[in-house]
Amino acid sequence: MATTSSMFMYTLTIQPPSSITQAILGQFAGTKEQQIVTASGSRLTIHRPDPTQGKITTLLSQDVFGIIRTLAAFRLAGSNKDYIIIGSDSGRITIIEYVASQNRFNRLHLETFGKSGIRRVIPGQYLAVDPKGRACLIASVEKNKLVYVLNRNAQAELTISSPLEAHKPQTLVFALVGLDVGYENPVFAALEVDYTESDQDPTGQAFEDIEKSLVYYELDLGLNHVVRKWSDPVDRTATMLFQVPGGADGPSGVLVCGQDNITYRHSNQDAFRVAIPRRRGATENPERKRFIISGVMHKMRGAFFFLLQSEDGDLFKVTLDMVEDESGQPTGEVKKLKIKYFDTVPIASSLCILKSGFLFVASETGNHHFYQFEKLGDDDNETEFDSDTFPADPTESYTPVYFHPRGAENVNLVESIDSMNPLLDCKVANLTDEDAPQIYTICGSGARSTFRTIKHGLEVNDIVDSELPSVPSAVWTTKITRGDQYDAYIVLSFTNGTLVLSIGETVEEVTDTGFLSSAPTLAVQQLGEDALIQVHPKGIRHIRADRRVNEWPAPQHRSIVAATTNERQVAVALSSGEIVYFEMDSDGSLAEYDEKREMSGTVTCLSLGEVPEGRVRSQFLAVGCDDSTVRILSLDPDSTLENKSVQALTSAPSALSIMAMADSTSGGSTLYLHIGLYSGVYLRTVLDEVTGELSDTRTRFLGPKPAKLFRVSVKGQPAVLALSSRPWLGYSDPQTKGFMLTPLNYVGLEWGWNFSSEQCPEGMVGIQGQNLRIFSIERLGNNLLQQSIPLTYTPRKFVRHPEQPLFYVIESDNNTLSPSTKERLLNDSTVVNGDGIVLPPQEFGFPRAQGHWASCIHVVDPVNAKETLQQIDLDSNEAAVSISTVSFSSQDNETFLVVGTGKDMVVSPRSFSAGFIHVYRFQEDGKELEFIHKTKVEEPPLALLGFQGRLLAGIGTDLRIFDLGMKQLLRKCQAQVVPNLIVGLQTQGSRIIVSDVQESVVYVVYKYQENRLIPFVDDVIARWTTCTTMVDYETVAGGDKFGNIWLLRCPQKSSEEADEEGSGAHLIHERQYLQGAPNRLALMSHFFPQDVPTSLQKAQLVAGGRDVLLWSGLQGTLGILIPFVSREDVDFFQTLEQHLRSEDAPLAGRDHLIYRSYYVPVKGVIDGDLCERYALLPNDKKAMIAGELDRSVREIERKISDMRTRVGF
């Protein structure tokens, strides 16, 4: 198999995974403020919780190109900064710090201890840190444990020792935690099982008698070795350990959490055990035992408590009572363990309690939640259960205890952070007739699942929307004196006059400002210390502070057509094509430059930059003419209005703006000329501050209307507001400092300007038709907007209506009571008062029951109603597994909705009692579904597809074609085409691509004359297919359960043979090869994106962009694969990728090439996420790589940014 491919793809992530596998808390910036660090797949993100606003903002997110398995925060004694330890799949332990001044992660130590990859005996699965920061223990699932001693040297730098081994063969570790022992020798506690005997015993008796032990490992700092100090059997179902504070704060020891019980254990204390309270209610099974799935310990002055969460999401507050001596002081001996119901929050993978009184819940599925504590549940009337009523021996039985769940009282939700995990399906469609299509997704699980619409854009906060007397043409705001903090006037220009509004508590018209109100205005500017300028078609009005007005009239028979101003200069263009330039004198008056400069064509726009700090004038004037050129004129006293450079354009310029912005290339700020064209194209070019030369032009198509540009400020940095058919904002990305151009999720504006008042210090004012709008932009970090519609159960698949903007979603949940069973239980006459309360499932989940399925079909309207229009519940324990819209030619090509279901399904080991295919007719333009009939089949049909006016169904290993009958579907043709189970179907022409659950894909051809389905080509590798799409007639792209994306192509010869006219006898009689089809597919490209692809499709994402492959990943990832057009680009990016692999090695120590080739060597794919890290390199490394590539740094950055902006976001 050749390693070079004839087809190359460039892969980019447009939305990183949003599932959080672990979250840790610490003072990583070295200040008093706490930050949260989260791991999502291969991404490490640091968030800053803002306690004043109750919001969480992302400071930095970095792909470590390796799977992050575990994180821990630690701090050396006496220091005020936390470091982060990462356990990853690189076979190395990594210690990093967050450098707040540069906003980046800096790697301090990288120590190799084993092979790479996630293996049973290679440490990295568990990580525990001594609370005093003296040592950490990293362990594998089986056998190996390594202890590293952490210290500091004379320069106060962090040092790490050689590893000390604490191995024990044939031992499985279930949990690991560092004990709080004050300043005694560090101790680590582990839950272990020794399987030596059960491995040798064939009867299985030893397995039944096996014991789980709590083991203490002590690191003797004096002798520098690790000893196994204490071991004691615990409950066999124990799965989690929590550290109990020690030293001066508490008794030390651990909480051992098992099925239905929590036990306090320590080597020198008695055991205390409490049961986990169970929910009480008519729909709850009283026998169901709960586990603790996550928890957190919080220390306060002189007290501590635990919040532990069961798998229903219920939080329990656990506290320890101490024995007190005569004077009433606690002695460090435990008296009892107490538990009580606290509140219910979403099921979490991690919980973090902040010192500022907030709780961060990293949800297992759905949005992450940020809560504020209202109280700590001390004075409520919840029943408290303590260890006095339960036996300490794990084998003894006890009476279970119950509680009534209730709405949250102790915590209050302040922010919900968007998360699309798990993302189960995704479609691209343009249903709103905008320039660019939207992405529609189904995600989440259970009652917290949602249907989401994703649009590319920035969120806009609308502040004012008021109607004006007539339609204005432009708007400005201005201060009165230079020292003013806020704007004083809003100036509106109409075709026949000018209106001035004052900004205060209210906005009202003022007339005594000195502005000329009888003529339209072209420009307004606060000039010098305290004067104002108004430019109108017949002249320039200079209004002094004492209301004296100086007027400069335009020459006879000529009027002003364009103007530009800054606080010291004014330039105007006359209708004759002349440019008149003014500069402010020392006495504050405007002095006209003697000579007028004549231009070759009519001037369409002008721009002066702002006066740079410490200078008296802006150096350059940009002039745009209708002969499609932009000229840069010098304003230097020695060479005033001389031509410096000229740039030819594809169309006449409609707007210009010279402004300095942050620049990723130079690291400082650079002067740019922004150009808007009448054709709706926007250009940004670098303006050399010395010579006035223009270089490094980047273009972007904004929309069909002429582009207008306005200088605004967002988040304290200059930005450009570009208006075409919709508004865009050009700004520097907060993290990379690279230039971003993003549409605003807002109405189309005709004009915009900066706006600053007491209520809204950083906003914008704009005109939309006859309305004046004031708005602000709050967040620049997130450029994908999500709108959610709640669903009932976990969504599985969805389809779009062929004509209407509607979607049909199938949802199903296993081990969940169906609505009919739930109703029957609630209406039961034996229900006691209080048990019949139905809790909202969004917060408390649905009642669970083994073997039951709850399933429904939803009609969703994401465009007009923005809600679900109809819900059809499936009864008799059926669950929907597949859905498709099919137009049957036997019914005059009427389209029907076809849903496949399974009855009494058990997921593992796979079993069912029957499968059905339901057929529904569309009513009311698809807003309602009418049930027609259902057909029983042997197995649940996991794949359905419309095919040549009939229905194609994958039932088990059989592929069948059905037609629609009066009472049921009629079978027309069938063939066994795959070895295991059909899970997906795609078609073009009479070719069908069938995906097997574990044997990749098979190409099948349907011969109409013979009515036969014939497989003619299959794959050499067993791929556990999750999704496929046809890229072209020969090629299929797919994803598998291990997180790979691949492209396969059918050999040209076999493709042509399959499509030959005739009966297909030549295909049937062709010799089979190794019990498969006669031919094999060729692998074109292969890549490991580290998320399980759930959908793939070919689509355009931006107006006028090329086709790309968009894939969605289970953890909420959205990514694109862009095909390369020229070989030259491939060579360039391949070389760049090689340089970056060595110059910017992944943070956690994984080799990038090996990581992207996890299961199969990477082929024909270049990693764009790695290439984009070029912008974050130090300048010397950038220059070195640029030298090797024989390009300039700017050129490389332009190529990298063009790859993204031309096709995606």
Side-chain angles (χ1 to χ4, degrees), residues 7 352 361 419 1102 1153:
M7 176 180 192
C352 299
V361 177
S419 164
V1102 294
L1153 181 63

Side-chain angles (χ1 to χ4, degrees), residues 537-554:
K538 287 292 167 220
I540 301 174
R541 206 172 166 89
H542 182 192
I543 307 159
R544 295 294 187 92
D546 52 11
R547 295 294 158 89
R548 279 185 304 153
V549 173
N550 295 349
E551 183 94 30
W552 177 87

Side-chain angles (χ1 to χ4, degrees), residues 184-223:
E184 290 172 26
N185 277 337
V187 176
F188 298 95
L191 276 180
E192 292 183 355
V193 165
D194 187 333
Y195 66 82
T196 319
E197 288 168 13
S198 60
D199 221 17
Q200 262 109 46
D201 174 27
T203 62
Q205 187 54 43
F207 174 73
E208 293 302 322
D209 303 340
I210 209 162
E211 275 188 342
K212 198 173 272 188
S213 321
L214 175 65
V215 185
Y216 279 9
Y217 290 92
E218 182 179 17
L219 164 67
D220 192 320
L221 289 168
L223 299 171

Side-chain angles (χ1 to χ4, degrees), residues 281-559:
T283 53
E284 291 292 339
N285 172 8
E287 298 306 309
R288 186 160 73 88
K289 297 178 174 179
R290 311 302 205 261
F291 273 101
I292 294 296
I293 55 156
S294 67
V296 60
M297 182 269 294
H298 186 62
K299 276 198 281 199
M300 301 174 295
R301 280 205 188 92
F304 62 88
F305 65 90
F306 295 84
L307 285 184
L308 304 181
Q309 188 182 39
S310 72
E311 78 258 41
D312 294 330
D314 300 323
L315 286 177
F316 298 103
K317 182 178 178 183
V318 177
T319 48
L320 290 165
D321 272 6
M322 315 294 263
V323 177
E324 293 179 350
D325 58 15
E326 295 81 31
S327 59
Q329 293 297 314
T331 57
E333 196 179 322
V334 178
K335 186 164 71 179
K336 60 182 171 192
L337 181 65
K338 298 194 298 197
I339 186 167
K340 68 194 266 192
Y341 173 59
F342 187 74
D343 263 338
T344 302
V345 299
I347 294 171
S349 56
S350 286
L351 296 166
C352 299
I353 296 179
L354 280 72
K355 287 193 178 123
S356 50
F358 287 89
L359 170 69
F360 176 66
V361 177
S363 309
E364 213 167 77
T365 67
N367 288 0
H368 309 299
H369 282 183
F370 193 48
Y371 292 94
Q372 184 163 17
F373 283 103
E374 297 291 326
K375 54 188 201 311
L376 291 175
D378 298 325
D379 46 2
D380 55 15
N381 48 15
E382 286 294 332
T383 325
E384 191 162 51
F385 307 104
D386 61 33
S387 52
D388 296 350
T389 51
F390 301 100
D393 179 13
T395 54
E396 282 186 49
S397 62
Y398 51 82
T399 348
V401 291
Y402 297 92
F403 73 96
H404 280 296
R406 49 153 171 78
E409 285 179 3
N410 300 305
V411 291
N412 168 32
L413 181 65
V414 287
E415 194 188 14
S416 175
I417 299 143
D418 279 337
S419 164
M420 288 173 35
N421 158 57
L423 200 166
L424 294 139
D425 203 354
C426 156
K427 305 248 186 288
V428 178
N430 190 356
L431 302 185
T432 52
D433 289 336
E434 290 176 15
D435 304 353
Q438 306 84 47
I439 301 173
Y440 297 92
T441 63
I442 46 174
C443 41
S445 71
R448 298 184 71 232
S449 51
T450 50
F451 180 101
R452 297 196 186 196
T453 307
I454 297 169
K455 276 171 68 176
H456 179 220
L458 290 172
E459 201 169 347
V460 173
N461 180 11
D462 217 342
I463 298 165
V464 175
D465 176 7
S466 64
E467 204 170 326
L468 296 165
S470 62
V471 179
S473 56
V475 61
W476 294 269
T477 58
T478 178
K479 302 172 178 178
I480 293 181
T481 67
R482 183 186 287 183
D484 288 357
Q485 193 179 350
Y486 301 121
D487 294 327
Y489 296 139
I490 295 178
V491 183
L492 290 155
S493 169
F494 297 89
T495 46
N496 57 356
T498 296
L499 179 68
V500 182
L501 307 173
S502 74
I503 303 169
E505 290 297 315
T506 59
V507 171
E508 50 209 28
E509 188 179 342
V510 281
T511 50
D512 58 343
T513 53
F515 280 94
L516 181 69
S517 59
S518 60
T521 302
L522 295 172
V524 172
Q525 173 74 42
Q526 189 274 318
L527 189 81
E529 288 305 322
D530 52 11
L532 294 171
I533 283 278
Q534 176 194 13
V535 182
H536 53 91
K538 287 292 167 220
I540 301 174
R541 206 172 166 89
H542 182 192
I543 307 159
R544 295 294 187 92
D546 52 11
R547 295 294 158 89
R548 279 185 304 153
V549 173
N550 295 349
E551 183 94 30
W552 177 87
Q556 254 182 334
H557 309 305
R558 280 172 273 181
S559 60

Side-chain angles (χ1 to χ4, degrees), residues 1-227:
M1 202 185 292
T3 49
T4 58
S5 180
S6 58
M7 176 180 192
F8 276 88
M9 310 290 269
Y10 182 82
T11 165
L12 280 174
T13 305
I14 56 175
Q15 173 160 306
S18 48
S19 75
I20 294 179
T21 46
Q22 197 183 351
I24 56 170
L25 194 63
Q27 297 169 347
F28 301 107
T31 57
K32 283 270 168 55
E33 197 175 59
Q34 287 181 305
Q35 289 88 19
I36 298 169
V37 169
T38 59
S40 314
S42 63
R43 283 191 103 79
L44 193 66
T45 310
I46 182 161
H47 309 266
R48 174 180 170 260
D50 185 344
T52 52
Q53 292 185 321
K55 278 193 162 49
I56 289 190
T57 48
T58 304
L59 292 173
L60 173 65
S61 179
Q62 182 173 339
D63 200 327
V64 301
F65 301 110
I67 297 167
I68 302 172
R69 300 164 73 184
T70 175
L71 292 174
F74 81 97
R75 138 191 341 207
L76 294 170
S79 111
N80 60 352
K81 178 168 184 166
D82 286 326
Y83 297 98
I84 305 162
I85 306 183
I86 304 175
S88 69
D89 61 345
S90 61
R92 298 163 162 191
I93 186 168
T94 317
I95 301 185
I96 62 167
E97 64 172 340
Y98 172 62
V99 186
S101 54
Q102 300 168 340
N103 192 28
R104 65 183 185 91
F105 291 121
N106 177 29
R107 188 167 71 201
L108 301 170
H109 286 288
L110 185 66
E111 299 292 323
T112 308
F113 52 68
K115 290 179 178 166
S116 63
I118 294 177
R119 303 163 193 256
R120 252 167 63 167
V121 292
I122 302 296
Q125 187 63 34
Y126 300 106
L127 181 62
V129 174
D130 170 58
K132 293 283 185 267
R134 296 166 299 172
C136 73
L137 191 154
I138 188 163
S140 58
V141 175
E142 189 180 331
K143 185 181 168 190
N144 293 337
K145 293 186 192 65
L146 297 172
V147 176
Y148 286 91
V149 181
L150 304 162
N151 214 323
R152 54 158 75 87
N153 60 15
Q155 285 78 46
E157 291 163 345
L158 175 73
T159 60
I160 186 166
S161 71
S162 309
L164 303 168
E165 295 184 353
H167 303 337
K168 187 165 189 295
Q170 297 189 312
T171 303
L172 298 173
V173 179
F174 286 82
L176 182 73
V177 70
L179 236 62
D180 190 347
V181 288
Y183 282 104
E184 290 172 26
N185 277 337
V187 176
F188 298 95
L191 276 180
E192 292 183 355
V193 165
D194 187 333
Y195 66 82
T196 319
E197 288 168 13
S198 60
D199 221 17
Q200 262 109 46
D201 174 27
T203 62
Q205 187 54 43
F207 174 73
E208 293 302 322
D209 303 340
I210 209 162
E211 275 188 342
K212 198 173 272 188
S213 321
L214 175 65
V215 185
Y216 279 9
Y217 290 92
E218 182 179 17
L219 164 67
D220 192 320
L221 289 168
L223 299 171
N224 204 26
H225 74 130
V226 185
V227 290

